[in-house]
Amino acid sequence: MTFTPDDLLKLILALLAGGLIGAEREFRDKSAGFRTMILISVGAALFTILSHHLAPASDPNRIAANIVTGIGFLGAGAILRDGLRITGLTTAATIWLAAAVGMAIGGGYWLLGLATTLAAVLVLVVFPLVEHWIDGLRHSHTYVVHCALDQDLYSALDALVRSSGLKVYARRRTKSGSTMICTWSTTGRPVCHEALVTQLLAHPAVEELEM
């Protein structure tokens, strides 16, 4: 089995591609950073190269196909649950993409692999700005109001929340002694949230406000 200079070039290109993707992850201090993405990309490229050298006449795709399965376990390790939040999904997807780029370069489709690398860097660097802008259009907040146990008061507060321009997708009432705890889960524009907070804080019957 003889390796060619072309194989070495593929490994170098995979290293550069993994480095470009990993640099962004390292900058954001993610669990899978610069070195990890390089090793994933180069490893996937090497496995793909070996699959063509070890089984050129039978099924060269067998080894490469197992990269897809194996990289799933690595990506799953980057996904964490923090209370109700799930974190690490972008890092896991980046791991999966880095392996795909390595496979493309290792298979000889280096132009496709490098184009995908540039697209991935664009998504990771530029798109968060777009994502931030979209998030700024609509915010989700849960308001918890403590007040006297009074049905008419609850109706008045509920009407106040519903007239604020926010969408109420869940509401709840509980009783604690002589205190009524009212909860509204809402989503809408930040300016509407600010206006509602001002109104609730100024309401004489509101004893305590949490959000």
Side-chain angles (χ1 to χ4, degrees):
M1 182 173 62
T2 304
F3 291 99
T4 65
D6 185 57
D7 294 330
L8 181 59
L9 178 61
K10 290 176 182 178
L11 293 178
I12 294 174
L13 290 176
L15 185 149
L16 294 175
L20 285 174
I21 297 173
E24 188 278 338
R25 296 285 86 188
E26 189 72 29
F27 177 77
R28 297 184 185 275
D29 197 25
K30 299 300 181 180
S31 56
F34 185 69
R35 291 178 299 173
T36 304
M37 293 302 172
I38 290 177
L39 292 174
I40 290 172
S41 180
V42 173
L46 180 59
F47 273 124
T48 305
I49 293 170
L50 288 174
S51 68
H52 287 282
H53 284 288
L54 295 176
S58 55
D59 186 7
N61 297 320
R62 183 175 300 174
I63 296 177
N66 282 284
I67 300 174
V68 180
T69 303
I71 206 66
F73 292 97
L74 190 60
I79 301 175
L80 301 174
R81 180 166 184 169
D82 183 13
L84 298 177
R85 296 177 63 249
I86 302 296
T87 61
L89 288 173
T90 301
T91 298
T94 307
I95 290 173
W96 176 70
L97 181 67
V101 167
M103 289 179 66
I105 295 175
Y109 300 97
W110 60 270
L111 187 60
L112 177 62
L114 294 180
T116 304
T117 300
L118 294 178
V121 172
L122 177 67
V123 170
L124 292 171
V125 174
V126 179
F127 280 30
L129 301 176
V130 179
E131 189 178 35
H132 180 73
W133 175 75
I134 294 174
D135 290 341
L137 297 178
R138 298 185 70 83
H139 285 177
S140 296
H141 288 299
T142 298
Y143 296 90
V144 181
V145 173
H146 297 247
C147 58
L149 186 60
D150 185 285
Q151 175 60 37
D152 293 334
L153 176 58
Y154 172 76
S155 299
L157 291 173
D158 186 59
L160 177 64
V161 174
R162 291 183 176 278
S163 64
S164 63
L166 299 172
K167 179 181 178 181
V168 179
Y169 57 87
R171 58 178 181 171
R172 185 181 61 179
R173 277 187 295 172
T174 58
K175 174 185 175 183
S176 178
S178 60
T179 301
M180 180 171 58
I181 303 173
C182 311
T183 304
W184 292 272
S185 297
T186 65
T187 182
R189 294 182 299 161
V191 63
C192 294
H193 284 290
E194 294 173 5
L196 178 59
V197 170
T198 301
Q199 290 177 299
L200 290 174
L201 289 175
H203 200 290
V206 176
E207 300 173 359
E208 184 179 341
L209 172 63
E210 301 174 11
M211 62 172 294

